C-alpha cells in the first residue's frame, strides 16, 4: 500500500462524507470536496459554484460562516429588482450563521448558502427581508440568503434566478451590453472613451507560463481601425489589445482560471426581456401560485419559488431517465406537481416508490467542469405521486396546469 505514492497521497487527502448539493463523495466525477472549518459543511467546489482547485484548503470557510459578525452595505429601501428612486445605503450586520432560505421553507440545518442580491450590477447589494409576524413568531428584518442547491436548481432550469460574480456582474453581460451598444459602435472612433488607465495590471498565460504586464499606452490604430491598449509584459514583450481583449486578461479578475468565475451571490430575474418579450415578473408571480406538495405554503407574498415535476421532458438528463418507468409515446411532462427544491431535499422523510425501489425526491448532478455559476447541474425531484413518480429539473418558462 505504501509503495503506491499516488494512492497514499490521494487517500490521505480524501475528505470523508458527502457533498451538501449532489450527495456524492469526494472525487466523484473528479470533483474536489472541501470542508468548512467552522460548520463542517461539505461541498464540491463546482457544486458550490466556486473555482475548482486540486487540493484541500484547511482554511476553507463557507459563505454563511464567513458572513457571521460582518457588516454589509444594503440598499434602503431593499427590493427585488432594485429601487429606482430615493434609495440610500445603510450597514447591516449578520449576527449568526444564516440558515433560512428565501426560496424554500427550510429554515434550519447546516447547508450550503449564498447571499441573495436585490439587483445585478454595481448598484446591487444583499437583499433585506422585512420584519414579519408578531409575538414569538416575530422575525426582525434580516439579510436574505438562499440555499445554493435551491438557487443552482432554478438557475440551471427556468433561469428565474441567476448567479452574480464579485461586483455584481453576470454571465452573458458583455453580449447583452454589446447588443445595446451596437448602434453606437459606428461612432466609436470619434467618441470612444478610455476605460482602463495607463498602468492597469494584466496577466496572461503564454506557452512559457503566466506573465504579468501593464498598460503603457492607449491610442487609435489606423490599421485595425480601433482604439488599442499597448501592454508591456515583465519579460519585455509588447502586445496590443482592444478593450474586450484587455478585459479577458485584467488582473482585477483575480481568478486562477481566466474563464471560471466564482458565484458570489444570486439574484432574481426581473423585468421584460427586450429580445424575447418574456415578462419575468409576471412568470415568477404565476409560478408562485403553485403549491409545494411538501410544505403546502402560500408563496404569493413571499420570495419562495416552487418547481414542477419534469419527468418525460425531452431534455431530461439521461442518468435520471433510468430512474422512472418508461411510458411509450410520452415525450413531455404531464405531471403538474410542484415542490420547493429544499423541501424535496431536506424537509421530507418520504420517498417515492419506483419499480419497487425507494428513491429520494431530489437529486443534483454535479456536472462537468464548465463556468462555475453555470454548473451543468440537474436535479430530479421524485414526487409522491405513484404514477408520475418522478420530477426532473428542466422547467420551461411556463406552467403546466
Ligand atoms: Zn457535489
Ligand atoms: Zn460553514
Ligand atoms: Zn432552499
Ligand atoms: Zn415547500
Ligand atoms: Zn411528477
Amino acid at each position: 500500500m505504501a509503495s503506491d505514492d499516488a494512492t497514499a497521497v490521494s487517500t490521505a487527502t480524501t475528505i470523508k462524507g458527502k457533498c451538501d448539493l449532489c450527495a456524492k463523495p469526494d472525487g466523484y466525477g473528479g470533483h474536489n470536496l472541501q470542508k468548512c472549518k467552522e460548520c463542517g459543511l461539505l461541498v464540491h467546489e463546482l457544486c458550490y459554484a466556486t473555482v475548482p482547485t486540486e487540493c484541500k484548503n484547511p482554511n476553507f470557510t463557507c459563505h454563511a460562516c464567513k458572513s457571521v459578525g460582518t457588516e454589509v452595505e444594503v440598499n434602503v429601501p431593499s427590493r427585488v429588482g432594485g429601487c429606482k428612486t430615493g434609495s440610500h445605503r445603510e450597514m447591516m450586520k449578520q449576527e449568526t450563521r444564516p440558515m433560512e432560505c428565501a426560496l424554500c421553507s427550510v429554515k434550519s440545518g447546516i447547508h450550503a448558502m449564498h447571499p441573495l442580491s436585490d439587483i445585478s450590477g454595481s448598484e446591487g447589494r444583499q437583499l433585506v427581508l422585512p420584519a414579519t409576524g408578531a409575538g414569538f413568531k416575530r422575525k426582525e428584518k434580516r439579510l436574505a440568503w438562499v440555499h445554493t442547491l435551491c438557487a443552482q436548481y432554478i438557475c440551471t432550469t427556468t433561469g428565474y434566478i441567476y448567479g452574480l460574480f464579485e461586483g455584481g456582474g453576470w454571465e452573458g453581460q458583455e453580449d447583452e451590453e454589446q447588443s445595446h451598444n451596437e448602434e453606437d459602435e459606428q461612432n466609436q472612433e470619434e467618441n470612444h472613451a478610455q476605460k482602463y488607465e495607463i498602468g492597469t495590471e494584466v496577466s496572461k498565460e503564454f506557452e512559457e507560463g503566466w506573465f504579468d504586464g501593464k498598460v503603457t499606452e492607449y491610442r487609435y490604430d489606423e490599421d485595425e481601425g480601433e482604439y488599442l491598449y499597448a501592454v508591456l509584459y515583465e519579460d519585455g514583450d509588447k502586445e496590443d489589445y482592444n478593450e474586450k481583449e484587455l478585459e479577458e486578461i485584467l488582473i482585477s479578475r483575480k481568478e486562477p482560471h481566466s474563464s471560471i468565475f466564482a458565484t458570489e451571490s444570486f439574484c432574481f430575474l426581473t423585468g421584460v426581456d427586450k429580445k424575447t418579450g418574456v415578462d419575468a415578473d409576471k412568470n415568477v408571480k404565476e409560478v408562485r401560485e403553485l403549491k409545494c406538495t411538501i410544505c403546502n405554503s402560500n408563496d404569493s407574498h413571499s420570495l419562495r419559488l416552487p418547481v414542477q415535476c419534469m419527468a418525460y421532458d425531452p431534455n431530461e438528463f439521461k442518468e435520471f431517465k433510468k430512474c422512472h418507468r418508461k411510458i411509450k409515446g410520452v415525450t413531455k411532462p404531464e405531471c403538474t406537481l410542484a415542490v420547493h427544491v429544499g423541501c424535496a431535499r431536506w424537509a421530507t422523510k418520504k420517498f417515492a416508490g419506483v419499480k419497487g425501489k425507494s428513491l429520494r425526491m431530489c437529486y443534483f448532478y454535479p456536472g462537468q467542469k464548465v463556468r462555475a455559476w453555470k454548473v451543468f447541474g440537474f436535479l430530479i425531484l421524485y414526487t409522491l405521486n405513484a404514477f408520475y413518480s418522478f420530477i426532473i429539473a428542466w422547467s420551461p418558462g411556463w406552467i403546466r396546469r
Side-chain angles (χ1 to χ4, degrees), residues 155-195:
C155 177
T156 49
T157 56
T158 58
Y160 293 143
I161 289 278
Y162 59 102
L164 300 178
F165 310 136
E166 195 178 357
W170 65 97
E171 177 79 17
Q173 180 178 18
E174 280 169 31
D175 307 344
E176 207 172 284
E177 283 171 356
Q178 200 182 359
S179 74
H180 289 168
N181 294 338
E182 237 157 54
E183 289 146 39
D184 306 338
E185 227 148 71
Q186 278 128 341
N187 306 326
Q188 217 175 31
E189 194 191 320
E190 291 94 73
N191 52 26
H192 194 278
Q194 181 176 350
K195 195 168 162 191

Short mmCIF file of all heavy atoms in Angstrom, two decimals, residues 155-195:
data_model
loop_
_atom_site.label_atom_id
_atom_site.label_comp_id
_atom_site.label_asym_id
_atom_site.label_seq_id
_atom_site.Cartn_x
_atom_site.Cartn_y
_atom_site.Cartn_z
N CYS A 155 -31.54 28.30 -11.29
CA CYS A 155 -30.60 28.92 -12.23
C CYS A 155 -30.40 28.07 -13.48
O CYS A 155 -30.39 28.58 -14.60
CB CYS A 155 -29.28 29.13 -11.49
SG CYS A 155 -27.97 29.82 -12.47
N THR A 156 -30.26 26.77 -13.29
CA THR A 156 -29.95 25.91 -14.44
C THR A 156 -31.21 25.42 -15.16
O THR A 156 -31.11 24.71 -16.14
CB THR A 156 -29.13 24.67 -14.02
OG1 THR A 156 -29.76 24.08 -12.90
CG2 THR A 156 -27.72 25.06 -13.65
N THR A 157 -32.38 25.79 -14.66
CA THR A 157 -33.60 25.33 -15.32
C THR A 157 -34.39 26.50 -15.89
O THR A 157 -34.25 26.84 -17.05
CB THR A 157 -34.45 24.50 -14.35
OG1 THR A 157 -34.73 25.28 -13.19
CG2 THR A 157 -33.75 23.21 -13.97
N THR A 158 -35.19 27.15 -15.07
CA THR A 158 -36.01 28.25 -15.59
C THR A 158 -35.22 29.53 -15.76
O THR A 158 -35.61 30.40 -16.54
CB THR A 158 -37.17 28.56 -14.62
OG1 THR A 158 -36.61 28.87 -13.35
CG2 THR A 158 -38.10 27.39 -14.50
N GLY A 159 -34.14 29.67 -14.99
CA GLY A 159 -33.35 30.89 -15.07
C GLY A 159 -33.98 32.07 -14.36
O GLY A 159 -33.56 33.20 -14.55
N TYR A 160 -34.99 31.84 -13.53
CA TYR A 160 -35.60 32.93 -12.78
C TYR A 160 -34.66 33.44 -11.69
O TYR A 160 -34.89 34.48 -11.08
CB TYR A 160 -36.94 32.51 -12.16
CG TYR A 160 -38.00 32.25 -13.19
CD1 TYR A 160 -38.93 31.22 -13.04
CD2 TYR A 160 -38.07 33.02 -14.35
CE1 TYR A 160 -39.89 30.97 -14.00
CE2 TYR A 160 -39.04 32.79 -15.32
CZ TYR A 160 -39.94 31.76 -15.13
OH TYR A 160 -40.89 31.52 -16.08
N ILE A 161 -33.63 32.65 -11.43
CA ILE A 161 -32.55 33.05 -10.51
C ILE A 161 -31.27 32.91 -11.31
O ILE A 161 -31.12 31.96 -12.06
CB ILE A 161 -32.51 32.09 -9.30
CG1 ILE A 161 -33.71 32.31 -8.37
CG2 ILE A 161 -31.21 32.20 -8.53
CD1 ILE A 161 -33.56 33.45 -7.40
N TYR A 162 -30.36 33.84 -11.16
CA TYR A 162 -29.06 33.66 -11.80
C TYR A 162 -27.93 34.10 -10.89
O TYR A 162 -28.13 34.83 -9.94
CB TYR A 162 -29.01 34.35 -13.17
CG TYR A 162 -29.25 35.83 -13.18
CD1 TYR A 162 -28.19 36.72 -13.30
CD2 TYR A 162 -30.53 36.35 -13.08
CE1 TYR A 162 -28.39 38.10 -13.33
CE2 TYR A 162 -30.75 37.71 -13.10
CZ TYR A 162 -29.67 38.58 -13.22
OH TYR A 162 -29.91 39.92 -13.24
N GLY A 163 -26.73 33.59 -11.23
CA GLY A 163 -25.58 33.83 -10.38
C GLY A 163 -24.88 35.13 -10.73
O GLY A 163 -24.85 35.54 -11.88
N LEU A 164 -24.33 35.78 -9.71
CA LEU A 164 -23.56 37.01 -9.92
C LEU A 164 -22.13 36.80 -9.47
O LEU A 164 -21.87 36.15 -8.46
CB LEU A 164 -24.17 38.16 -9.11
CG LEU A 164 -25.61 38.56 -9.41
CD1 LEU A 164 -26.05 39.67 -8.47
CD2 LEU A 164 -25.77 38.99 -10.86
N PHE A 165 -21.20 37.37 -10.24
CA PHE A 165 -19.79 37.34 -9.84
C PHE A 165 -19.57 38.45 -8.82
O PHE A 165 -20.44 39.26 -8.56
CB PHE A 165 -18.88 37.61 -11.04
CG PHE A 165 -19.19 36.77 -12.24
CD1 PHE A 165 -19.21 37.35 -13.50
CD2 PHE A 165 -19.44 35.42 -12.12
CE1 PHE A 165 -19.48 36.59 -14.62
CE2 PHE A 165 -19.71 34.66 -13.23
CZ PHE A 165 -19.73 35.24 -14.49
N GLU A 166 -18.34 38.49 -8.32
CA GLU A 166 -17.95 39.57 -7.44
C GLU A 166 -18.18 40.90 -8.17
O GLU A 166 -17.84 41.03 -9.34
CB GLU A 166 -16.47 39.41 -7.10
CG GLU A 166 -16.04 40.24 -5.94
CD GLU A 166 -14.58 40.03 -5.60
OE1 GLU A 166 -13.93 39.19 -6.24
OE2 GLU A 166 -14.10 40.73 -4.71
N GLY A 167 -18.80 41.86 -7.50
CA GLY A 167 -19.05 43.15 -8.12
C GLY A 167 -20.37 43.23 -8.84
O GLY A 167 -20.71 44.26 -9.40
N GLY A 168 -21.11 42.10 -8.88
CA GLY A 168 -22.46 42.13 -9.43
C GLY A 168 -22.57 41.80 -10.90
O GLY A 168 -23.65 41.87 -11.48
N GLY A 169 -21.45 41.48 -11.57
CA GLY A 169 -21.50 41.12 -12.99
C GLY A 169 -22.10 39.73 -13.18
O GLY A 169 -22.23 38.96 -12.23
N TRP A 170 -22.49 39.43 -14.40
CA TRP A 170 -23.08 38.12 -14.64
C TRP A 170 -22.68 37.58 -16.00
O TRP A 170 -22.22 38.33 -16.87
CB TRP A 170 -24.60 38.17 -14.52
CG TRP A 170 -25.28 39.02 -15.55
CD1 TRP A 170 -25.85 38.60 -16.71
CD2 TRP A 170 -25.47 40.44 -15.50
NE1 TRP A 170 -26.38 39.66 -17.38
CE2 TRP A 170 -26.16 40.81 -16.68
CE3 TRP A 170 -25.11 41.45 -14.59
CZ2 TRP A 170 -26.50 42.14 -16.96
CZ3 TRP A 170 -25.46 42.76 -14.87
CH2 TRP A 170 -26.15 43.08 -16.05
N GLU A 171 -22.86 36.29 -16.16
CA GLU A 171 -22.55 35.60 -17.40
C GLU A 171 -23.43 36.14 -18.52
O GLU A 171 -24.63 36.28 -18.34
CB GLU A 171 -22.83 34.10 -17.20
CG GLU A 171 -22.63 33.24 -18.41
CD GLU A 171 -21.17 32.90 -18.66
OE1 GLU A 171 -20.35 33.06 -17.74
OE2 GLU A 171 -20.88 32.51 -19.79
N GLY A 172 -22.82 36.47 -19.65
CA GLY A 172 -23.62 36.95 -20.77
C GLY A 172 -23.80 38.46 -20.75
O GLY A 172 -24.37 39.04 -21.65
N GLN A 173 -23.29 39.10 -19.71
CA GLN A 173 -23.44 40.55 -19.56
C GLN A 173 -22.82 41.29 -20.74
O GLN A 173 -23.42 42.20 -21.29
CB GLN A 173 -22.76 40.98 -18.26
CG GLN A 173 -22.84 42.47 -18.00
CD GLN A 173 -22.18 42.82 -16.66
OE1 GLN A 173 -21.42 42.03 -16.12
NE2 GLN A 173 -22.50 43.96 -16.13
N GLU A 174 -21.62 40.87 -21.14
CA GLU A 174 -20.92 41.54 -22.23
C GLU A 174 -21.74 41.50 -23.51
O GLU A 174 -21.88 42.50 -24.20
CB GLU A 174 -19.57 40.86 -22.49
CG GLU A 174 -18.51 41.31 -21.50
CD GLU A 174 -17.27 40.46 -21.57
OE1 GLU A 174 -16.97 39.98 -22.68
OE2 GLU A 174 -16.62 40.27 -20.55
N ASP A 175 -22.28 40.33 -23.81
CA ASP A 175 -23.08 40.17 -25.04
C ASP A 175 -24.26 41.12 -25.01
O ASP A 175 -24.58 41.78 -25.97
CB ASP A 175 -23.62 38.75 -25.17
CG ASP A 175 -22.50 37.72 -25.04
OD1 ASP A 175 -21.33 38.13 -25.17
OD2 ASP A 175 -22.80 36.55 -24.82
N GLU A 176 -24.90 41.14 -23.81
CA GLU A 176 -26.10 41.96 -23.66
C GLU A 176 -25.78 43.43 -23.88
O GLU A 176 -26.43 44.12 -24.63
CB GLU A 176 -26.65 41.77 -22.25
CG GLU A 176 -28.14 41.98 -22.14
CD GLU A 176 -28.61 41.58 -20.76
OE1 GLU A 176 -28.72 40.38 -20.49
OE2 GLU A 176 -28.85 42.50 -19.97
N GLU A 177 -24.71 43.88 -23.22
CA GLU A 177 -24.34 45.28 -23.32
C GLU A 177 -23.91 45.62 -24.73
O GLU A 177 -24.17 46.69 -25.25
CB GLU A 177 -23.23 45.60 -22.32
CG GLU A 177 -23.82 45.72 -20.93
CD GLU A 177 -22.77 45.83 -19.85
OE1 GLU A 177 -21.58 45.72 -20.19
OE2 GLU A 177 -23.15 45.99 -18.69
N GLN A 178 -23.25 44.66 -25.35
CA GLN A 178 -22.77 44.87 -26.71
C GLN A 178 -23.95 45.11 -27.65
O GLN A 178 -23.91 46.01 -28.48
CB GLN A 178 -21.97 43.66 -27.17
CG GLN A 178 -21.06 43.97 -28.33
CD GLN A 178 -20.34 42.73 -28.80
OE1 GLN A 178 -20.51 41.65 -28.23
NE2 GLN A 178 -19.55 42.86 -29.81
N SER A 179 -24.99 44.30 -27.51
CA SER A 179 -26.12 44.46 -28.41
C SER A 179 -26.83 45.79 -28.18
O SER A 179 -27.36 46.38 -29.10
CB SER A 179 -27.09 43.28 -28.27
OG SER A 179 -27.81 43.38 -27.08
N HIS A 180 -26.80 46.26 -26.92
CA HIS A 180 -27.38 47.58 -26.65
C HIS A 180 -26.59 48.68 -27.33
O HIS A 180 -27.11 49.70 -27.70
CB HIS A 180 -27.42 47.84 -25.14
CG HIS A 180 -28.44 47.00 -24.45
ND1 HIS A 180 -28.49 46.90 -23.09
CD2 HIS A 180 -29.43 46.21 -24.93
CE1 HIS A 180 -29.48 46.07 -22.76
NE2 HIS A 180 -30.05 45.65 -23.86
N ASN A 181 -25.28 48.42 -27.44
CA ASN A 181 -24.40 49.46 -27.93
C ASN A 181 -24.15 49.39 -29.43
O ASN A 181 -23.36 50.15 -29.96
CB ASN A 181 -23.05 49.40 -27.21
CG ASN A 181 -23.20 49.73 -25.74
OD1 ASN A 181 -24.16 50.37 -25.36
ND2 ASN A 181 -22.26 49.28 -24.93
N GLU A 182 -24.82 48.45 -30.07
CA GLU A 182 -24.49 48.19 -31.46
C GLU A 182 -24.54 49.44 -32.34
O GLU A 182 -23.66 49.68 -33.16
CB GLU A 182 -25.44 47.13 -32.04
CG GLU A 182 -24.67 45.94 -32.60
CD GLU A 182 -25.52 44.70 -32.65
OE1 GLU A 182 -26.60 44.78 -33.24
OE2 GLU A 182 -25.10 43.68 -32.08
N GLU A 183 -25.59 50.24 -32.13
CA GLU A 183 -25.73 51.43 -32.97
C GLU A 183 -24.61 52.43 -32.71
O GLU A 183 -24.17 53.14 -33.60
CB GLU A 183 -27.08 52.10 -32.72
CG GLU A 183 -28.22 51.30 -33.28
CD GLU A 183 -29.47 51.42 -32.44
OE1 GLU A 183 -29.74 52.52 -31.96
OE2 GLU A 183 -30.16 50.40 -32.28
N ASP A 184 -24.19 52.48 -31.45
CA ASP A 184 -23.15 53.44 -31.10
C ASP A 184 -21.81 53.07 -31.73
O ASP A 184 -20.93 53.90 -31.89
CB ASP A 184 -22.94 53.51 -29.59
CG ASP A 184 -24.24 53.77 -28.88
OD1 ASP A 184 -25.15 54.31 -29.55
OD2 ASP A 184 -24.34 53.45 -27.69
N GLU A 185 -21.70 51.79 -32.06
CA GLU A 185 -20.39 51.30 -32.45
C GLU A 185 -19.77 52.04 -33.63
O GLU A 185 -18.57 52.25 -33.67
CB GLU A 185 -20.46 49.79 -32.75
CG GLU A 185 -19.34 49.03 -32.08
CD GLU A 185 -19.76 47.63 -31.70
OE1 GLU A 185 -19.92 46.82 -32.62
OE2 GLU A 185 -19.94 47.34 -30.50
N GLN A 186 -20.61 52.43 -34.58
CA GLN A 186 -20.08 53.13 -35.74
C GLN A 186 -19.41 54.44 -35.35
O GLN A 186 -18.48 54.89 -35.98
CB GLN A 186 -21.21 53.41 -36.74
CG GLN A 186 -21.49 52.20 -37.61
CD GLN A 186 -22.96 51.85 -37.59
OE1 GLN A 186 -23.70 52.24 -36.70
NE2 GLN A 186 -23.38 51.08 -38.57
N ASN A 187 -19.93 55.04 -34.30
CA ASN A 187 -19.39 56.34 -33.88
C ASN A 187 -18.23 56.18 -32.90
O ASN A 187 -17.73 57.15 -32.37
CB ASN A 187 -20.48 57.17 -33.20
CG ASN A 187 -21.70 57.31 -34.09
OD1 ASN A 187 -21.56 57.37 -35.31
ND2 ASN A 187 -22.86 57.34 -33.49
N GLN A 188 -17.85 54.93 -32.72
CA GLN A 188 -16.89 54.63 -31.68
C GLN A 188 -15.59 55.45 -31.83
O GLN A 188 -15.06 55.95 -30.84
CB GLN A 188 -16.54 53.15 -31.69
CG GLN A 188 -16.34 52.60 -30.30
CD GLN A 188 -16.12 51.11 -30.37
OE1 GLN A 188 -15.57 50.60 -31.32
NE2 GLN A 188 -16.54 50.42 -29.35
N GLU A 189 -15.14 55.57 -33.09
CA GLU A 189 -13.86 56.22 -33.30
C GLU A 189 -13.84 57.63 -32.73
O GLU A 189 -12.90 58.05 -32.08
CB GLU A 189 -13.52 56.25 -34.79
CG GLU A 189 -12.07 56.60 -35.02
CD GLU A 189 -11.80 56.88 -36.48
OE1 GLU A 189 -12.36 56.17 -37.33
OE2 GLU A 189 -11.05 57.82 -36.75
N GLU A 190 -14.94 58.37 -32.96
CA GLU A 190 -14.97 59.77 -32.54
C GLU A 190 -15.09 59.92 -31.03
O GLU A 190 -14.42 60.73 -30.43
CB GLU A 190 -16.13 60.52 -33.20
CG GLU A 190 -15.96 60.70 -34.70
CD GLU A 190 -16.64 59.61 -35.48
OE1 GLU A 190 -17.87 59.62 -35.55
OE2 GLU A 190 -15.95 58.71 -36.01
N ASN A 191 -16.00 59.12 -30.42
CA ASN A 191 -16.25 59.41 -29.02
C ASN A 191 -15.93 58.24 -28.09
O ASN A 191 -16.57 58.02 -27.10
CB ASN A 191 -17.70 59.88 -28.82
CG ASN A 191 -18.67 58.91 -29.45
OD1 ASN A 191 -18.34 57.73 -29.58
ND2 ASN A 191 -19.84 59.37 -29.83
N HIS A 192 -14.93 57.49 -28.46
CA HIS A 192 -14.56 56.38 -27.60
C HIS A 192 -13.78 56.88 -26.40
O HIS A 192 -12.81 57.60 -26.55
CB HIS A 192 -13.74 55.36 -28.37
CG HIS A 192 -13.62 54.06 -27.64
ND1 HIS A 192 -12.70 53.88 -26.66
CD2 HIS A 192 -14.34 52.93 -27.73
CE1 HIS A 192 -12.85 52.65 -26.19
NE2 HIS A 192 -13.84 52.06 -26.81
N ALA A 193 -14.23 56.50 -25.22
CA ALA A 193 -13.53 56.93 -24.02
C ALA A 193 -12.61 55.82 -23.52
O ALA A 193 -12.96 54.65 -23.59
CB ALA A 193 -14.54 57.27 -22.93
N GLN A 194 -11.48 56.23 -23.02
CA GLN A 194 -10.53 55.26 -22.47
C GLN A 194 -11.07 54.73 -21.16
O GLN A 194 -11.30 55.49 -20.22
CB GLN A 194 -9.18 55.96 -22.25
CG GLN A 194 -8.12 55.02 -21.71
CD GLN A 194 -6.77 55.69 -21.59
OE1 GLN A 194 -6.57 56.80 -22.08
NE2 GLN A 194 -5.84 55.00 -20.95
N LYS A 195 -11.26 53.40 -21.10
CA LYS A 195 -11.89 52.81 -19.92
C LYS A 195 -10.85 52.41 -18.88
O LYS A 195 -11.11 52.45 -17.68
CB LYS A 195 -12.71 51.60 -20.37
CG LYS A 195 -13.71 51.11 -19.34
CD LYS A 195 -14.67 50.12 -19.99
CE LYS A 195 -15.39 49.28 -18.97
NZ LYS A 195 -16.11 48.17 -19.61
#
